[in-house]
Amino acid sequence: MTANKDSQAVHELDRTDIESYTIGGGTVYERFFDCPLDYSSPESSQRIRVFVRHVVPLGKETKVHELPFLLYLQGGPGYECSLPGSVKGGWHAKAIEEGYQILLIDQRGTGLSSPINADTLDAKFQTTAEKVQYASHFRADNIVRDCEHVRKILCAGRTGEASQKLALLGQSFGGFCIVTYLSLFPDSISKAFITGGIPPLIDSPDAVYKATYQRMISRNKQYYEKYPRDIARVRAVIEHLNQNRVTLPDGGNLSPRRFQQLGLAFGFTGGFDQVHQLVLRASNDIDTMDKLSARTLAGIADMHSFDTNPLYCILHEAIYCQNGKPSMWSAHRVREECFAAEFEHSWDKILTRSDPGMPVYFTGEAVYPWMLEDYAQLRRLKDVGAGLAEYSSWGPLYDKSVLAKNTVPVAGVSYYNDMFVDFNLSEQTAKNIKGFRQWVTNEYHHNGLRADPRVMTYLVDLLRGDMTDL
Protein backbone atom coordinates (compact mmCIF):
# COMPACT_ATOMS: atom_id res chain seq x y z
CA MET A 1 0.00 0.00 0.00
CA THR A 2 1.05 3.58 -0.61
CA ALA A 3 1.80 6.08 2.11
CA ASN A 4 -0.88 8.73 1.66
CA LYS A 5 -2.76 11.41 3.56
CA ASP A 6 -5.26 8.93 4.99
CA SER A 7 -2.53 6.73 6.43
CA GLN A 8 -0.62 9.53 8.08
CA ALA A 9 -2.63 9.22 11.29
CA VAL A 10 -0.40 6.19 11.81
CA HIS A 11 3.32 6.78 11.43
CA GLU A 12 4.70 5.09 8.33
CA LEU A 13 7.09 3.04 10.46
CA ASP A 14 4.21 1.80 12.66
CA ARG A 15 1.89 0.63 9.89
CA THR A 16 0.83 -3.00 10.20
CA ASP A 17 -0.31 -3.39 6.59
CA ILE A 18 3.23 -3.24 5.18
CA GLU A 19 4.54 -6.45 3.67
CA SER A 20 7.71 -7.67 5.36
CA TYR A 21 10.02 -10.67 5.23
CA THR A 22 13.53 -11.61 6.27
CA ILE A 23 16.76 -11.98 4.32
CA GLY A 24 20.19 -12.85 5.67
CA GLY A 25 20.84 -10.40 8.49
CA GLY A 26 17.80 -8.18 8.02
CA THR A 27 14.06 -7.67 7.93
CA VAL A 28 12.76 -6.04 4.77
CA TYR A 29 9.70 -3.77 4.69
CA GLU A 30 8.31 -2.87 1.27
CA ARG A 31 7.02 0.69 1.27
CA PHE A 32 5.34 2.80 -1.39
CA PHE A 33 5.15 6.58 -1.26
CA ASP A 34 2.80 8.91 -3.10
CA CYS A 35 4.86 11.76 -4.63
CA PRO A 36 4.16 14.73 -6.90
CA LEU A 37 5.28 14.32 -10.48
CA ASP A 38 6.32 17.98 -10.50
CA TYR A 39 7.40 19.47 -7.19
CA SER A 40 6.82 22.98 -8.49
CA SER A 41 3.11 22.01 -8.57
CA PRO A 42 2.83 19.70 -5.54
CA GLU A 43 -0.97 19.86 -5.41
CA SER A 44 -1.36 18.77 -9.02
CA SER A 45 -3.32 15.60 -9.73
CA GLN A 46 -0.29 14.19 -11.56
CA ARG A 47 1.28 11.82 -9.06
CA ILE A 48 3.81 9.03 -9.13
CA ARG A 49 4.45 6.15 -6.77
CA VAL A 50 7.96 5.61 -5.37
CA PHE A 51 9.01 2.25 -4.00
CA VAL A 52 11.52 1.84 -1.15
CA ARG A 53 12.82 -1.33 0.45
CA HIS A 54 13.51 -0.61 4.08
CA VAL A 55 16.04 -3.02 5.62
CA VAL A 56 16.32 -3.22 9.41
CA PRO A 57 19.06 -5.29 11.08
CA LEU A 58 17.64 -8.50 12.52
CA GLY A 59 16.75 -8.10 16.17
CA LYS A 60 16.42 -4.32 15.93
CA GLU A 61 12.92 -4.10 14.47
CA THR A 62 11.65 -2.28 17.59
CA LYS A 63 14.26 0.45 17.11
CA VAL A 64 13.12 1.75 13.73
CA HIS A 65 12.27 5.14 15.26
CA GLU A 66 15.77 5.44 16.69
CA LEU A 67 18.27 3.97 14.25
CA PRO A 68 19.67 6.45 11.70
CA PHE A 69 18.91 5.87 8.03
CA LEU A 70 21.39 5.29 5.23
CA LEU A 71 19.82 5.82 1.81
CA TYR A 72 21.45 4.07 -1.14
CA LEU A 73 21.22 5.67 -4.59
CA GLN A 74 21.71 3.23 -7.45
CA GLY A 75 23.74 3.85 -10.59
CA GLY A 76 22.13 4.44 -13.94
CA PRO A 77 20.22 6.43 -14.92
CA GLY A 78 17.24 4.20 -15.34
CA TYR A 79 18.09 1.27 -13.08
CA GLU A 80 16.11 -0.03 -10.14
CA CYS A 81 17.76 -1.02 -6.86
CA SER A 82 17.97 -4.79 -6.54
CA LEU A 83 17.19 -6.67 -3.35
CA PRO A 84 20.30 -8.21 -1.81
CA GLY A 85 20.06 -11.85 -0.76
CA SER A 86 21.78 -10.92 2.46
CA VAL A 87 23.07 -7.85 4.29
CA LYS A 88 25.76 -9.85 6.07
CA GLY A 89 28.39 -8.92 3.48
CA GLY A 90 29.49 -6.13 1.17
CA TRP A 91 28.72 -2.50 1.84
CA HIS A 92 25.42 -3.47 3.51
CA ALA A 93 27.29 -5.19 6.33
CA LYS A 94 29.47 -2.12 6.89
CA ALA A 95 26.39 0.11 7.01
CA ILE A 96 24.77 -2.13 9.62
CA GLU A 97 28.02 -2.28 11.58
CA GLU A 98 27.94 1.53 11.66
CA GLY A 99 24.47 1.39 13.22
CA TYR A 100 22.26 2.20 10.22
CA GLN A 101 19.00 0.87 8.89
CA ILE A 102 19.07 0.92 5.10
CA LEU A 103 16.76 2.43 2.48
CA LEU A 104 16.98 0.97 -1.04
CA ILE A 105 15.01 3.22 -3.37
CA ASP A 106 13.83 2.48 -6.88
CA GLN A 107 14.44 5.90 -8.41
CA ARG A 108 11.40 7.35 -10.13
CA GLY A 109 10.82 5.77 -13.52
CA THR A 110 12.53 2.48 -12.58
CA GLY A 111 11.57 -0.83 -11.00
CA LEU A 112 8.34 -0.40 -9.02
CA SER A 113 8.52 3.41 -8.96
CA SER A 114 6.12 4.39 -11.76
CA PRO A 115 8.39 2.78 -14.36
CA ILE A 116 8.78 4.45 -17.74
CA ASN A 117 8.64 2.28 -20.83
CA ALA A 118 6.71 2.25 -24.09
CA ASP A 119 3.71 0.50 -22.52
CA THR A 120 3.35 2.83 -19.53
CA LEU A 121 3.73 5.95 -21.66
CA ASP A 122 1.21 4.72 -24.22
CA ALA A 123 -1.25 3.99 -21.42
CA LYS A 124 -1.00 7.55 -20.06
CA PHE A 125 -0.55 9.80 -23.07
CA GLN A 126 -1.64 10.25 -26.66
CA THR A 127 1.06 12.53 -28.07
CA THR A 128 4.83 12.48 -28.22
CA ALA A 129 4.96 15.99 -26.73
CA GLU A 130 3.06 14.80 -23.65
CA LYS A 131 5.39 11.84 -23.23
CA VAL A 132 8.51 13.99 -23.56
CA GLN A 133 7.22 16.50 -21.04
CA TYR A 134 6.38 13.72 -18.58
CA ALA A 135 9.76 12.02 -18.95
CA SER A 136 11.55 15.35 -18.44
CA HIS A 137 10.59 15.14 -14.74
CA PHE A 138 12.65 11.98 -14.14
CA ARG A 139 16.12 13.39 -13.59
CA ALA A 140 18.33 13.76 -10.51
CA ASP A 141 16.65 16.93 -9.24
CA ASN A 142 13.29 15.21 -8.82
CA ILE A 143 14.83 11.92 -7.67
CA VAL A 144 16.36 13.92 -4.84
CA ARG A 145 13.06 15.64 -4.10
CA ASP A 146 11.46 12.19 -3.84
CA CYS A 147 14.15 11.18 -1.35
CA GLU A 148 13.49 14.32 0.66
CA HIS A 149 9.77 13.59 0.64
CA VAL A 150 10.45 10.07 1.94
CA ARG A 151 12.86 11.40 4.57
CA LYS A 152 10.26 13.76 5.99
CA ILE A 153 7.74 10.93 6.32
CA LEU A 154 10.10 8.39 7.87
CA CYS A 155 11.77 10.86 10.23
CA ALA A 156 8.56 12.52 11.37
CA GLY A 157 8.41 12.82 15.16
CA ARG A 158 12.12 12.35 15.72
CA THR A 159 13.70 14.74 18.19
CA GLY A 160 17.10 16.22 17.65
CA GLU A 161 18.35 17.63 14.37
CA ALA A 162 20.85 14.83 13.74
CA SER A 163 18.29 12.04 13.98
CA GLN A 164 16.18 13.67 11.26
CA LYS A 165 18.96 13.54 8.68
CA LEU A 166 19.92 10.86 6.17
CA ALA A 167 23.33 9.42 5.47
CA LEU A 168 23.75 8.86 1.72
CA LEU A 169 25.65 6.33 -0.36
CA GLY A 170 25.68 6.80 -4.12
CA GLN A 171 27.18 4.56 -6.79
CA SER A 172 27.91 6.09 -10.21
CA PHE A 173 24.79 8.09 -11.20
CA GLY A 174 23.76 7.77 -7.56
CA GLY A 175 26.76 9.96 -6.77
CA PHE A 176 25.48 12.54 -9.25
CA CYS A 177 22.22 12.53 -7.28
CA ILE A 178 24.11 13.06 -4.03
CA VAL A 179 25.80 16.21 -5.38
CA THR A 180 22.35 17.44 -6.42
CA TYR A 181 21.10 16.63 -2.89
CA LEU A 182 24.02 18.60 -1.42
CA SER A 183 22.99 21.51 -3.64
CA LEU A 184 19.27 21.46 -2.84
CA PHE A 185 18.92 20.10 0.71
CA PRO A 186 22.28 20.08 2.48
CA ASP A 187 20.64 20.45 5.90
CA SER A 188 18.93 17.08 5.43
CA ILE A 189 22.19 15.10 5.10
CA SER A 190 24.34 13.85 7.97
CA LYS A 191 27.15 12.54 5.76
CA ALA A 192 27.63 11.24 2.23
CA PHE A 193 29.71 8.61 0.45
CA ILE A 194 30.23 8.60 -3.33
CA THR A 195 31.70 5.69 -5.28
CA GLY A 196 32.68 6.23 -8.90
CA GLY A 197 30.15 9.00 -9.29
CA ILE A 198 31.52 12.50 -8.76
CA PRO A 199 29.72 14.37 -11.56
CA PRO A 200 31.19 16.99 -13.87
CA LEU A 201 29.65 20.41 -13.17
CA ILE A 202 28.90 21.15 -16.81
CA ASP A 203 25.89 22.17 -18.88
CA SER A 204 26.34 19.78 -21.80
CA PRO A 205 27.74 16.25 -22.14
CA ASP A 206 30.16 17.04 -25.00
CA ALA A 207 33.19 17.34 -22.69
CA VAL A 208 32.30 14.00 -21.10
CA TYR A 209 32.38 12.10 -24.38
CA LYS A 210 35.54 13.80 -25.61
CA ALA A 211 37.20 12.42 -22.49
CA THR A 212 35.56 8.99 -22.32
CA TYR A 213 36.16 8.16 -26.00
CA GLN A 214 39.85 8.67 -25.31
CA ARG A 215 39.57 6.37 -22.33
CA MET A 216 37.77 3.82 -24.48
CA ILE A 217 40.58 3.83 -27.04
CA SER A 218 42.98 2.93 -24.25
CA ARG A 219 40.73 0.14 -23.01
CA ASN A 220 40.49 -1.31 -26.53
CA LYS A 221 44.27 -1.36 -26.81
CA GLN A 222 44.49 -3.17 -23.48
CA TYR A 223 41.84 -5.66 -24.60
CA TYR A 224 43.65 -6.53 -27.81
CA GLU A 225 46.95 -6.77 -25.94
CA LYS A 226 45.35 -9.45 -23.77
CA TYR A 227 43.54 -11.15 -26.64
CA PRO A 228 45.55 -10.40 -29.83
CA ARG A 229 43.80 -13.12 -31.84
CA ASP A 230 40.53 -11.28 -31.27
CA ILE A 231 41.69 -8.63 -33.76
CA ALA A 232 40.98 -11.04 -36.62
CA ARG A 233 37.92 -12.52 -34.90
CA VAL A 234 36.22 -9.17 -34.33
CA ARG A 235 36.97 -8.09 -37.88
CA ALA A 236 35.35 -11.31 -39.14
CA VAL A 237 32.25 -10.67 -37.05
CA ILE A 238 32.00 -7.05 -38.20
CA GLU A 239 32.37 -8.14 -41.84
CA HIS A 240 29.64 -10.75 -41.36
CA LEU A 241 27.26 -8.25 -39.75
CA ASN A 242 27.86 -5.75 -42.53
CA GLN A 243 27.00 -8.35 -45.15
CA ASN A 244 24.07 -10.03 -43.38
CA ARG A 245 20.99 -8.77 -41.59
CA VAL A 246 21.02 -10.55 -38.23
CA THR A 247 17.97 -10.54 -35.98
CA LEU A 248 18.21 -11.16 -32.25
CA PRO A 249 15.72 -13.42 -30.42
CA ASP A 250 13.70 -10.41 -29.23
CA GLY A 251 13.42 -8.95 -32.74
CA GLY A 252 16.20 -6.41 -32.37
CA ASN A 253 18.89 -5.89 -35.00
CA LEU A 254 22.42 -7.07 -34.35
CA SER A 255 24.09 -4.41 -36.47
CA PRO A 256 27.87 -3.91 -36.48
CA ARG A 257 27.52 -0.81 -34.31
CA ARG A 258 25.36 -2.69 -31.80
CA PHE A 259 27.98 -5.43 -31.64
CA GLN A 260 30.57 -2.74 -30.90
CA GLN A 261 28.55 -1.77 -27.82
CA LEU A 262 29.77 -4.94 -26.12
CA GLY A 263 32.65 -2.70 -25.07
CA LEU A 264 30.39 -1.35 -22.33
CA ALA A 265 31.59 -4.35 -20.32
CA PHE A 266 35.19 -3.09 -20.46
CA GLY A 267 34.39 -0.78 -17.58
CA PHE A 268 33.76 -3.59 -15.11
CA THR A 269 35.88 -6.22 -13.43
CA GLY A 270 36.04 -9.26 -15.72
CA GLY A 271 34.60 -7.37 -18.67
CA PHE A 272 37.42 -8.22 -21.05
CA ASP A 273 36.91 -11.90 -20.39
CA GLN A 274 33.14 -11.71 -20.91
CA VAL A 275 33.53 -10.03 -24.28
CA HIS A 276 36.29 -12.40 -25.37
CA GLN A 277 34.07 -15.43 -24.75
CA LEU A 278 31.34 -13.94 -26.93
CA VAL A 279 33.82 -12.96 -29.64
CA LEU A 280 35.33 -16.45 -29.62
CA ARG A 281 31.91 -18.06 -29.84
CA ALA A 282 30.71 -15.72 -32.60
CA SER A 283 33.86 -16.23 -34.65
CA ASN A 284 33.60 -19.99 -34.30
CA ASP A 285 29.95 -19.88 -35.38
CA ILE A 286 30.86 -17.98 -38.54
CA ASP A 287 33.74 -20.33 -39.32
CA THR A 288 31.67 -23.48 -38.88
CA MET A 289 28.13 -22.44 -39.88
CA ASP A 290 28.48 -19.06 -41.62
CA LYS A 291 25.92 -17.68 -39.20
CA LEU A 292 25.57 -16.86 -35.51
CA SER A 293 23.96 -19.50 -33.31
CA ALA A 294 20.92 -18.91 -31.15
CA ARG A 295 23.10 -19.29 -28.07
CA THR A 296 25.54 -16.64 -29.24
CA LEU A 297 22.75 -14.24 -30.17
CA ALA A 298 21.10 -14.71 -26.78
CA GLY A 299 24.43 -14.10 -25.05
CA ILE A 300 24.98 -10.87 -26.94
CA ALA A 301 21.45 -9.66 -26.23
CA ASP A 302 21.86 -10.40 -22.54
CA MET A 303 24.89 -8.11 -22.31
CA HIS A 304 22.73 -4.99 -22.59
CA SER A 305 19.62 -3.81 -20.77
CA PHE A 306 18.52 -0.85 -22.88
CA ASP A 307 15.27 -2.61 -23.79
CA THR A 308 14.35 -3.43 -20.19
CA ASN A 309 15.66 -0.14 -18.75
CA PRO A 310 14.90 2.38 -21.52
CA LEU A 311 15.66 5.48 -19.43
CA TYR A 312 19.30 4.39 -19.59
CA CYS A 313 19.09 5.32 -23.27
CA ILE A 314 16.55 8.10 -23.64
CA LEU A 315 17.57 10.10 -20.54
CA HIS A 316 21.24 9.17 -20.43
CA GLU A 317 22.67 12.33 -21.90
CA ALA A 318 20.16 14.52 -20.09
CA ILE A 319 21.85 13.77 -16.75
CA TYR A 320 24.53 16.26 -17.84
CA CYS A 321 22.23 18.96 -19.26
CA GLN A 322 21.58 22.16 -17.34
CA ASN A 323 20.41 25.70 -17.94
CA GLY A 324 18.56 25.12 -21.19
CA LYS A 325 21.27 23.17 -23.01
CA PRO A 326 19.96 20.24 -25.10
CA SER A 327 22.12 17.17 -25.60
CA MET A 328 21.40 16.82 -29.34
CA TRP A 329 22.80 13.25 -29.31
CA SER A 330 26.14 14.41 -27.93
CA ALA A 331 27.96 11.06 -28.03
CA HIS A 332 27.00 10.59 -31.68
CA ARG A 333 28.12 14.10 -32.64
CA VAL A 334 31.42 13.84 -30.79
CA ARG A 335 32.11 10.43 -32.30
CA GLU A 336 31.44 11.66 -35.83
CA GLU A 337 33.42 14.88 -35.38
CA CYS A 338 36.42 13.55 -33.45
CA PHE A 339 36.57 9.75 -33.37
CA ALA A 340 34.83 8.43 -36.49
CA ALA A 341 37.91 6.62 -37.77
CA GLU A 342 38.72 4.95 -34.45
CA PHE A 343 35.21 3.56 -34.00
CA GLU A 344 34.30 2.87 -37.62
CA HIS A 345 31.68 0.15 -38.18
CA SER A 346 31.27 0.20 -41.96
CA TRP A 347 33.25 -2.64 -43.53
CA ASP A 348 33.81 -0.70 -46.75
CA LYS A 349 35.35 2.19 -44.84
CA ILE A 350 37.40 -0.17 -42.67
CA LEU A 351 38.97 -1.60 -45.83
CA THR A 352 40.01 1.87 -47.00
CA ARG A 353 42.07 2.62 -43.90
CA SER A 354 45.80 3.22 -44.32
CA ASP A 355 46.24 0.07 -42.27
CA PRO A 356 43.24 -2.06 -43.25
CA GLY A 357 44.25 -4.77 -40.80
CA MET A 358 44.05 -2.58 -37.70
CA PRO A 359 41.63 -3.57 -34.91
CA VAL A 360 37.96 -2.62 -34.90
CA TYR A 361 37.32 -0.80 -31.65
CA PHE A 362 34.40 -1.35 -29.31
CA THR A 363 32.44 1.58 -27.94
CA GLY A 364 31.66 2.22 -24.26
CA GLU A 365 28.95 3.94 -22.26
CA ALA A 366 27.35 6.08 -24.94
CA VAL A 367 23.91 6.28 -26.51
CA TYR A 368 23.13 6.91 -30.16
CA PRO A 369 20.04 7.76 -32.24
CA TRP A 370 20.33 4.50 -34.22
CA MET A 371 19.70 2.56 -30.99
CA LEU A 372 16.07 3.58 -31.33
CA GLU A 373 15.98 1.38 -34.45
CA ASP A 374 18.26 -1.51 -33.49
CA TYR A 375 16.73 -2.27 -30.06
CA ALA A 376 13.27 -3.80 -30.30
CA GLN A 377 11.64 -2.04 -27.34
CA LEU A 378 13.38 1.28 -27.99
CA ARG A 379 11.79 1.45 -31.46
CA ARG A 380 8.50 2.31 -29.78
CA LEU A 381 10.24 5.20 -28.00
CA LYS A 382 11.97 6.61 -31.08
CA ASP A 383 10.03 9.87 -31.13
CA VAL A 384 10.30 10.29 -27.36
CA GLY A 385 14.05 9.74 -27.45
CA ALA A 386 14.42 12.24 -30.28
CA GLY A 387 12.27 14.75 -28.38
CA LEU A 388 14.35 14.43 -25.22
CA ALA A 389 17.58 14.88 -27.21
CA GLU A 390 16.21 18.19 -28.49
CA TYR A 391 14.63 19.26 -25.19
CA SER A 392 15.98 22.65 -24.10
CA SER A 393 14.08 23.46 -20.90
CA TRP A 394 16.39 21.64 -18.50
CA GLY A 395 16.84 23.41 -15.19
CA PRO A 396 19.91 23.45 -12.96
CA LEU A 397 21.07 20.27 -11.24
CA TYR A 398 23.82 21.74 -9.08
CA ASP A 399 24.40 24.96 -7.13
CA LYS A 400 28.10 25.77 -7.17
CA SER A 401 27.70 28.51 -4.57
CA VAL A 402 26.12 26.07 -2.10
CA LEU A 403 28.73 23.40 -2.83
CA ALA A 404 31.53 25.92 -2.27
CA LYS A 405 30.18 26.50 1.27
CA ASN A 406 29.40 22.84 1.98
CA THR A 407 29.48 21.74 5.61
CA VAL A 408 28.28 18.14 5.12
CA PRO A 409 31.03 15.53 5.64
CA VAL A 410 31.58 13.97 2.20
CA ALA A 411 34.01 11.30 1.05
CA GLY A 412 34.28 9.79 -2.40
CA VAL A 413 36.40 7.39 -4.41
CA SER A 414 37.47 8.16 -7.96
CA TYR A 415 38.79 5.29 -10.02
CA TYR A 416 41.72 6.59 -12.04
CA ASN A 417 40.94 4.38 -15.04
CA ASP A 418 37.15 4.73 -14.79
CA MET A 419 35.66 4.28 -18.26
CA PHE A 420 32.30 5.81 -17.31
CA VAL A 421 33.05 8.82 -15.10
CA ASP A 422 36.13 10.70 -16.23
CA PHE A 423 38.69 11.09 -13.47
CA ASN A 424 39.88 14.57 -14.48
CA LEU A 425 36.36 16.00 -14.56
CA SER A 426 35.58 14.35 -11.23
CA GLU A 427 38.68 15.83 -9.66
CA GLN A 428 37.62 19.32 -10.71
CA THR A 429 34.25 18.82 -9.03
CA ALA A 430 35.78 17.43 -5.84
CA LYS A 431 37.85 20.59 -5.56
CA ASN A 432 34.67 22.68 -5.83
CA ILE A 433 32.89 20.93 -2.93
CA LYS A 434 34.20 22.34 0.33
CA GLY A 435 35.59 19.69 2.64
CA PHE A 436 35.34 16.86 0.08
CA ARG A 437 37.66 14.00 0.98
CA GLN A 438 38.67 12.23 -2.21
CA TRP A 439 40.30 8.84 -2.49
CA VAL A 440 41.95 8.19 -5.85
CA THR A 441 42.86 4.63 -6.75
CA ASN A 442 43.64 2.48 -9.79
CA GLU A 443 42.88 -0.75 -7.92
CA TYR A 444 39.29 -0.97 -9.13
CA HIS A 445 37.09 -0.43 -12.13
CA HIS A 446 33.73 1.32 -12.04
CA ASN A 447 32.11 -1.46 -10.00
CA GLY A 448 34.54 -1.24 -7.08
CA LEU A 449 31.76 -0.92 -4.49
CA ARG A 450 30.27 -4.23 -5.59
CA ALA A 451 33.61 -5.91 -6.22
CA ASP A 452 35.22 -5.30 -2.81
CA PRO A 453 33.69 -4.42 0.60
CA ARG A 454 36.96 -2.64 1.39
CA VAL A 455 35.76 0.32 -0.68
CA MET A 456 32.97 1.19 1.75
CA THR A 457 35.17 0.52 4.77
CA TYR A 458 37.88 2.80 3.42
CA LEU A 459 35.44 5.65 2.81
CA VAL A 460 33.95 5.35 6.29
CA ASP A 461 37.43 5.44 7.79
CA LEU A 462 38.45 8.30 5.51
CA LEU A 463 35.51 10.41 6.65
CA ARG A 464 36.21 9.51 10.25
CA GLY A 465 39.83 10.61 9.88
CA ASP A 466 41.36 7.15 10.29
CA MET A 467 43.10 7.23 6.90
CA THR A 468 46.30 9.19 6.42
CA ASP A 469 47.74 7.74 3.20
CA LEU A 470 46.07 10.22 0.85
Side-chain angles (χ1 to χ4, degrees):
M1 294 182 66
T2 304
N4 54 44
K5 293 179 180 179
D6 295 334
S7 66
Q8 294 311 298
V10 177
H11 195 287
E12 175 66 23
L13 297 176
D14 296 327
R15 292 173 60 186
T16 58
D17 59 338
I18 298 295
E19 184 172 3
S20 64
Y21 48 89
T22 60
I23 58 175
T27 299
V28 181
Y29 300 88
E30 297 188 333
R31 304 186 186 279
F32 289 90
F33 297 85
D34 179 70
C35 300
L37 170 69
D38 180 359
Y39 282 87
S40 67
S41 302
E43 301 305 320
S44 168
S45 61
Q46 282 192 297
R47 315 291 293 181
I48 64 167
R49 192 167 77 152
V50 171
F51 176 66
V52 179
R53 289 188 179 93
H54 172 202
V55 185
V56 181
L58 280 178
K60 297 187 177 181
E61 292 82 359
T62 61
K63 297 184 180 296
V64 290
H65 286 282
E66 303 166 27
L67 297 175
F69 291 102
L70 182 139
L71 171 71
Y72 175 67
L73 288 156
Q74 167 73 29
Y79 284 91
E80 63 272 27
C81 190
S82 61
L83 173 70
S86 170
V87 290
K88 292 182 178 181
W91 69 260
H92 307 89
K94 184 61 179 176
I96 288 174
E97 178 187 323
E98 292 294 309
Y100 291 107
Q101 52 188 323
I102 301 170
L103 301 175
L104 304 172
I105 185 170
D106 281 0
Q107 297 163 17
R108 60 166 51 197
T110 75
L112 296 174
S113 293
S114 297
I116 285 184
N117 53 53
D119 291 329
T120 58
L121 290 179
D122 285 347
K124 286 183 172 71
F125 306 107
Q126 297 295 316
T127 69
T128 297
E130 290 174 318
K131 294 173 183 178
V132 169
Q133 187 60 39
Y134 179 77
S136 72
H137 293 289
F138 286 72
R139 295 199 308 158
D141 49 353
N142 285 317
I143 291 170
V144 164
R145 292 184 177 103
D146 291 338
C147 295
E148 183 65 3
H149 180 74
V150 170
R151 181 195 67 82
K152 290 178 179 178
I153 292 173
L154 294 181
C155 293
R158 291 194 173 203
T159 58
E161 183 180 353
S163 67
Q164 297 176 28
K165 297 184 177 185
L166 298 176
L168 304 175
L169 170 61
Q171 159 65 16
S172 189
F173 173 67
F176 288 35
C177 294
I178 285 180
V179 178
T180 300
Y181 215 140
L182 289 168
S183 297
L184 298 180
F185 306 105
D187 293 339
S188 298
I189 308 168
S190 62
K191 62 187 65 174
F193 306 96
I194 297 175
T195 60
I198 305 172
L201 303 181
I202 54 179
D203 292 341
S204 158
D206 285 20
V208 171
Y209 294 113
K210 288 177 181 178
T212 53
Y213 274 127
Q214 292 282 8
R215 188 80 67 185
M216 197 60 200
I217 290 171
S218 297
R219 292 296 286 162
N220 271 280
K221 290 178 179 178
Q222 292 167 358
Y223 174 80
Y224 285 119
E225 286 174 5
K226 181 172 184 178
Y227 295 112
R229 295 189 183 187
D230 280 4
I231 294 175
R233 292 182 180 121
V234 171
R235 287 172 57 83
V237 174
I238 293 295
E239 180 182 12
H240 179 84
L241 295 177
N242 269 272
Q243 296 173 351
N244 299 273
R245 181 179 178 84
V246 178
T247 303
L248 291 162
D250 63 359
N253 298 328
L254 181 55
S255 62
R257 53 197 177 184
R258 179 166 176 175
F259 183 80
Q260 286 176 296
Q261 285 190 301
L262 291 177
L264 187 66
F266 288 2
F268 301 108
T269 305
F272 280 2
D273 304 321
Q274 279 186 292
V275 173
H276 167 68
Q277 293 303 317
L278 285 171
V279 168
L280 179 61
R281 192 183 302 160
S283 175
N284 184 69
D285 287 348
I286 293 170
D287 286 344
T288 58
M289 302 185 297
D290 197 29
K291 69 175 185 178
L292 297 177
S293 67
R295 181 185 179 192
T296 298
L297 293 174
I300 292 171
D302 288 345
M303 289 288 282
H304 296 131
S305 52
F306 293 109
D307 276 327
T308 56
N309 297 77
L311 287 184
Y312 188 47
C313 176
I314 64 174
L315 269 184
H316 194 108
E317 295 189 342
I319 68 174
Y320 301 104
C321 296
Q322 298 188 90
N323 306 315
K325 298 287 184 67
S327 72
M328 300 300 293
W329 295 112
S330 174
H332 179 71
R333 287 187 293 101
V334 170
R335 174 178 170 171
E336 292 301 304
E337 293 166 10
C338 305
F339 301 98
E342 289 86 346
F343 296 98
E344 183 57 66
H345 60 84
S346 166
W347 187 245
D348 290 339
K349 291 182 179 180
I350 290 171
L351 291 178
T352 63
R353 290 170 166 172
S354 57
D355 178 5
M358 70 181 292
V360 175
Y361 283 171
F362 293 92
T363 54
E365 188 182 47
V367 297
Y368 304 98
W370 53 260
M371 293 173 62
L372 303 177
E373 300 171 359
D374 281 359
Y375 287 81
Q377 292 301 314
L378 292 183
R379 289 174 191 151
R380 299 173 58 196
L381 293 169
K382 183 175 181 178
D383 292 342
V384 177
L388 288 167
E390 297 171 1
Y391 190 79
S392 59
S393 296
W394 302 119
L397 293 169
Y398 312 111
D399 189 325
K400 293 182 181 179
S401 65
V402 172
L403 296 174
K405 297 180 290 186
N406 174 63
T407 59
V408 178
V410 188
V413 57
S414 294
Y415 308 119
Y416 187 77
N417 296 313
D418 198 325
M419 203 181 80
F420 299 92
V421 181
D422 181 67
F423 166 72
N424 294 313
L425 294 173
S426 292
E427 190 174 37
Q428 292 174 22
T429 299
K431 291 177 179 177
N432 285 306
I433 301 175
K434 186 178 179 181
F436 193 106
R437 307 208 62 172
Q438 186 180 21
W439 170 32
V440 177
T441 178
N442 63 359
E443 294 179 75
Y444 304 102
H445 292 292
H446 190 66
N447 60 330
L449 180 66
R450 183 169 70 245
D452 190 346
R454 173 176 173 262
V455 170
M456 184 62 178
T457 298
Y458 194 106
L459 290 178
V460 170
D461 291 343
L462 179 60
L463 206 56
R464 189 181 282 134
D466 288 353
M467 287 293 173
T468 57
D469 58 332
L470 298 180

